[in-house]
Amino acid sequence: MTDEFQYRDGILHAEDVPIPEIAKAVGTPFYLYSSRMFAANLGAFQSALSGIDHLVCYSVKANSNVAVLRLLGNLGAGMDVVSGGEYVRARAAGIPGDRIVFSGVGKTRDEMAAALGGGIRHFNVESEPELRLLSEVAESHGTVAPIAIRINPDVDPGTHEKISTGKSGDKFGIPVSRVRDAYREAGQLPGIRVVGIDVHIGSQVMDLAPFRRVFRLLADLTRVLREDGHEIRRIDAGGGLGINYRPAEDPAPSPAEYCALLADTLGHLGVEIDVEPGRFISGNAGVMVSSVLYRKTGEARDILVLDSAMNDLLRPAMYGAYHEIEPVIAPAENGRTSAVDIVGPICESGDTFARGRELPQLSDGDLLVFRSTGAYGAVMASGYNSRPLIPEVLVNGEEFFVIRARIPVEDLINRDIVPEWLTAS
Ligand SMILES: *Cc1c(COP(=O)(O)O)cnc(C)c1O
């Protein structure tokens, strides 16, 4: 894959812009994205599927900035949303309703109504009660909801337990043993029109084997459901293709290999194939830029205290995730390195990004980046410790744009309301 975060003359650039220039203008910490990488990653999927009737529906939850959605939408992407808020974002980015797929285990009546009113490609329905409610909501709006049922294939994707979604016992989808009954009911409900079948087995999947098992299962189920009289004209294969977070690990499967597998297993069915990649499209297209506040002497080794924290980038604390950490000023060749712990300022030991990381001699004021934070970075940020949400910046060639300004702490605290009885004298 192309990498648009490269050293030029010893300074890390984002596309053609030196990162220190952006840091000076915006202040650290901030997220920094490359337009070219979003486009290249989306393009890799689109061209790998070009021989098949398809739609690449970017998974909005990975990075939902409206500018990012607009960029991808302009290139022909559809969107996969998992909440009413994400639906509104996708629409605000100009994505037509018939390119938006609505997934998620807990859709509310209001969310269903909003999507039916604004236009929808299909709903991925995750339970029988949801099916009944959706039918009722559609009927009361004088319309019919297009649906696919998300099956739970009971396949272990071999990923972190918090991001596995396709094992029996996970909260997602309807088990294969009940799928025919669920479709039978769907076929009888007045507000429902069956258009396809759906699956999503989890995230950061690094092996094609679980995908192969699931796609074969989808092919079998498509045959069975068609024999039962249902119109299965679309297969939504979900997302989950992993990316490389570490330089020295086995390479993740490519979109070309993944899509060849889709074509192999499902191509003969005459269906349209939707995919929902999130992490693959945005993950490596972003970094988080941060400054060292203090180099502190620790018990075992030095500790770098940064101005970013677990509220800005949750993945290390939440999943024990690994991110490459690189200095913005290239280290001298053969320069001294040492192992350091890298932490944020929050009052929890969990606010530790990395331990024993080998880095050059960084000290107060030096800039560094966390690689591969374009997915599940900014979207998972919180205001914990009353830290204002950090900006997002998008680079395009020689220019950069602040696509979300730093959110002032006043905006966080002004939402708190002190009741009058506490202020009356
Ligand atoms: C999270 C999610 C995705 C995207 O997963 P990635 O691992 O980011 O590709 C796709 N579909 C559904 C239903 C999801 O919940």
Side-chain angles (χ1 to χ4, degrees), residues 180-199:
R180 288 178 75 187
D181 286 344
Y183 273 91
R184 184 175 316 118
E185 182 169 8
Q188 289 160 357
L189 286 168
I192 296 292
R193 179 165 52 89
V194 170
V195 299
I197 185 166
D198 169 59
V199 75

Side-chain angles (χ1 to χ4, degrees), residues 157-230:
T159 186
H160 191 283
E161 58 172 68
K162 285 187 185 153
I163 51 174
S164 155
T165 59
K167 288 188 287 187
S168 73
D170 290 340
K171 67 180 177 181
F172 299 95
I174 292 182
V176 173
S177 59
R178 296 211 309 269
V179 161
R180 288 178 75 187
D181 286 344
Y183 273 91
R184 184 175 316 118
E185 182 169 8
Q188 289 160 357
L189 286 168
I192 296 292
R193 179 165 52 89
V194 170
V195 299
I197 185 166
D198 169 59
V199 75
H200 171 69
I201 57 171
S203 199
Q204 186 53 14
V205 181
M206 293 297 276
D207 182 4
L208 286 179
F211 287 124
R212 185 176 298 112
R213 238 170 291 144
V214 169
F215 298 163
R216 284 186 179 148
L217 175 64
L218 286 175
D220 291 344
L221 284 172
T222 298
R223 270 189 298 274
V224 170
L225 292 171
R226 281 176 170 172
E227 278 165 25
D228 286 349
H230 303 291

